Structure formats: structure tokens, C-alpha cells
Amino acid sequence: MRPDTPADHTTEAERLLRTAAQYPEDHEPLILQAAAHLELAGDRARASTLYDGLLAAPEATVDNPHLIKALKAANLWEYGHEAEARAIIDGIRAAGPLNAAPWQVAAETLEAHDELEKAHDFLSTALTLLLAPGEEVPYATQSLLTGRHRVRRLMGLEHDAWDELAGELHTAPVPLDELHDPKRLWSLGSSDPVELKAEIARLRAELGTYRTALSRPFPVAVLHWPEQELRELLTSYPELTEEYVDRPTHLARLEASLRDLHATGTPNLGIVTGTVPSYEAFAASEAASPSDPGLLPQYATTLAARGRALPWPPARTAACWCGSGEAYGGCHGG
């Protein structure tokens, strides 16, 4: 049962904090979830303390410092610390992180406080940085295109190429222009049955989009074993040799699996990297044998749920996921 009252959210936050203490390797995503529940409980000051604690850790131990800063800024603005929130958001823009999440959180914060021009600038800057001409739009970046389209509709701006691209990527039955129509609020007070039915259809389309996003909170991930880890895995559990054969076969199958999933329209794909000690600990927690091939997909899903997935495909000029040191376009993306 999902938390519903402030007390429920506080209880869930406490549970997550206990879990984070028990599993320090996964403390960052667990603490971020706890902070979100504290915000929903109205305890924004304590949520800020959790964000500060993460940011005070050594940089090498923090996976997503810019996302943490963006979440902290959004929280601060909600309880009267606007100047500090603005300063943090300006710092994120200057840093230019190469993942979409901090840009999205910061832009939505600006939009929520009617800073439409700044939100538009923020989203445009992010897309210029993250989108390479002619390359496929990563799943995580699509939300930036959608957000920018919404902001531009609120500003009354004409469509540009990125707006057109947002419309092409939109899969809901109601067009994006209709969903982002600034005049929709008027239809909620209308007594015209036709207008009301149209608005109900729009709301259902939006709800379907949100449900899809919530049902896929982490990537559909495939499991990658670095060379040394794979060698140790197959030495310890030779029953898995049929699953992986050897390193070149493993890498080829991994890329092929991702391409097949992509071809079927599966969004939000990623790669998680396994280690033998982590896999053995997972097997023990499941009261299963590490030699069981059926355990491998569960292990991959668990790593993805812990925020360990790298989005696929990477940009063609980015380093290949296999660790070769070559650009993806000249390695497995060729």
C-alpha cells in the first residue's frame, strides 16, 4: 500500500533510511527516496539535511551530485529559500552535467514558479548539450523535449525543429499540442458536454503517459560482466558457461539483445555491470544458487532498480559501454 498521509510518508522515509544504513553501496538512491517522502510529509527542512549529507560525502562516492543539487534547490524554493535555490540552479547550468535528470528537475522548478523564460533557456541549453544532430534521442532526454514544448506553448511561441521532434516522439493518442494547450483550463469550467468530453480524453492520455513512466522507473537492463569478473564467474560457476561462452560472445549477445529490444519499441534501455561478490550476495539473499542461469535477469533488474544502469545507446562519440576505451560508434555501435 502506497503512503497516503504525512505520517505514512514519514514512516516510509524512516524505513528507507534504515535500509540505506544496512546497504551502504545503495545509500544514494535510497536516501533520495527518503528525502522525497519527507518532502511529501511536509518536513522539508529535514529533507534538505539529507541532501546536504549526500553532497558532503567525498565526490568519488556520489553518483549524481548535480541531480542531488537540483532536488535540493526544488525543495528549498518550496519553503522560502528562493535565493539559495536560484544560486544552485545557476550553478547546475554553469556545470553543464551530461545527464538529463538535473536539467529536468531544475527546469520544472523554474516553470512551477512561473519563470518560463528561464525554464525555456534551461531546457534549450540542456538539449544543445545532450542532443547530437542526426542521432537517436535517448529515452531520458525525451522528457526535456516534452517539457520545452510545454513551456513554449505557455509562452505563445511558434513551433521550431525541437517542438516538431517532441511531437514525433509523443506516443499518446492525444497530440502534444492539444495536451499543452494553455487554454485547457477554460474547458474545466465549461458547461459544454463536447468540451468536457474532450478534456476527459486529454486527462486520460496524460494519466496513461504518467502511468507508463511510473511503471518503468528504471531501465530495462541487460547484464554486462567485465573481462576479469566474467573469468572469475565462469571459473567459480562453470554451469554458466553455456550462458556466456566467452567474452566476445558475451559482448556480442549483449549488444544484440539491446538492439532487439529497441526494435520492438521497448523504451528506457540500459546496461548494468555485475561483480561476482555482489552476485553471490544477491543469490544468498534469494536463497538460490549462483550457478542458476535464471537468477541472472533478476540480478540485472535489481541493479537497475538501485540506479546502477547506464542508458543505452550511448552517443556514437561517447566511450563504448564495453570498456574498450574506443568510441561507441567505432566499437559495438558500428
Side-chain angles (χ1 to χ4, degrees):
M1 185 174 178
R2 293 180 178 176
D4 190 32
T5 68
D8 291 336
H9 285 292
T10 300
T11 300
E12 180 63 10
E14 297 293 354
R15 186 192 68 80
L16 288 164
L17 291 173
R18 290 193 300 272
T19 305
Q22 187 177 1
Y23 300 99
E25 70 276 11
D26 297 321
H27 76 287
E28 185 175 324
L30 291 168
I31 289 176
L32 289 180
Q33 290 179 50
H37 280 287
L38 289 174
E39 290 185 33
L40 292 169
D43 196 351
R44 293 189 174 276
R46 190 180 174 200
S48 285
T49 300
L50 293 183
Y51 294 133
D52 288 338
L54 287 172
L55 293 170
E59 189 171 342
T61 66
V62 180
D63 293 330
N64 300 293
H66 297 297
L67 174 59
I68 298 169
K69 290 177 182 178
L71 292 167
K72 177 184 175 181
N75 181 51
L76 285 170
W77 203 325
E78 290 298 325
Y79 75 110
H81 298 275
E82 178 182 337
E84 186 178 353
R86 287 181 181 276
I88 293 172
I89 289 173
D90 289 343
I92 292 170
R93 189 183 190 284
L98 295 178
N99 57 315
W103 293 100
Q104 181 177 351
V105 172
E108 288 179 350
T109 300
L110 291 167
E111 181 186 354
H113 294 278
D114 295 324
E115 299 279 353
L116 296 182
E117 290 187 6
K118 290 187 177 180
H120 179 266
D121 175 67
F122 217 84
L123 291 164
S124 298
T125 301
L127 289 168
T128 300
L129 185 66
L130 299 177
L131 279 187
E135 289 196 354
E136 185 173 353
V137 181
Y139 179 84
T141 308
Q142 293 179 20
S143 60
L144 299 180
L145 284 167
T146 302
R148 183 177 179 274
H149 182 283
R150 181 179 60 250
V151 169
R152 287 174 63 83
R153 287 283 279 149
L154 290 170
M155 296 173 69
L157 300 177
E158 295 293 328
H159 277 187
D160 62 7
W162 277 339
D163 290 326
E164 298 293 341
L165 181 57
E168 292 172 10
L169 294 171
H170 180 67
T171 57
V174 179
L176 204 57
D177 273 345
E178 193 172 336
L179 290 178
H180 292 167
D181 185 352
K183 299 178 182 178
R184 281 182 60 189
L185 288 176
W186 289 100
S187 65
L188 293 175
S190 172
S191 58
D192 185 340
V194 174
E195 288 187 3
L196 290 173
K197 286 181 180 179
E199 181 58 22
I200 289 170
R202 297 184 195 106
L203 290 170
R204 283 176 173 165
E206 285 186 308
L207 182 60
T209 301
Y210 292 143
R211 282 176 171 167
T212 299
L214 288 171
S215 69
R216 186 68 48 77
F218 46 83
V220 173
V222 295
L223 183 58
H224 167 232
W225 295 96
E227 185 172 4
Q228 184 174 343
E229 295 291 337
L230 182 62
R231 187 183 305 115
E232 181 180 345
L233 179 75
L234 297 183
T235 300
S236 301
Y237 308 103
E239 299 89 345
L240 298 177
T241 301
E242 185 176 346
E243 183 76 19
Y244 292 114
V245 184
D246 53 32
R247 170 80 169 162
T249 303
H250 168 48
L251 298 182
R253 286 178 175 176
L254 192 155
E255 179 74 19
S257 295
L258 288 165
R259 290 174 184 260
D260 288 345
L261 287 167
H262 183 268
T264 62
T266 304
N268 200 15
L269 298 172
I271 297 173
V272 291
T273 299
T275 66
V276 173
S278 169
Y279 178 58
E280 290 174 335
F282 174 74
S285 70
E286 294 292 313
S289 169
S291 62
D292 179 6
L295 198 63
L296 296 167
Q298 299 175 46
Y299 176 54
T301 300
T302 300
L303 291 178
R306 292 174 179 173
R308 302 297 182 190
L310 294 176
W312 182 94
R316 294 185 62 79
T317 55
C320 188
W321 54 262
C322 72
S324 65
E326 299 180 27
Y328 175 65
C331 192
H332 285 89

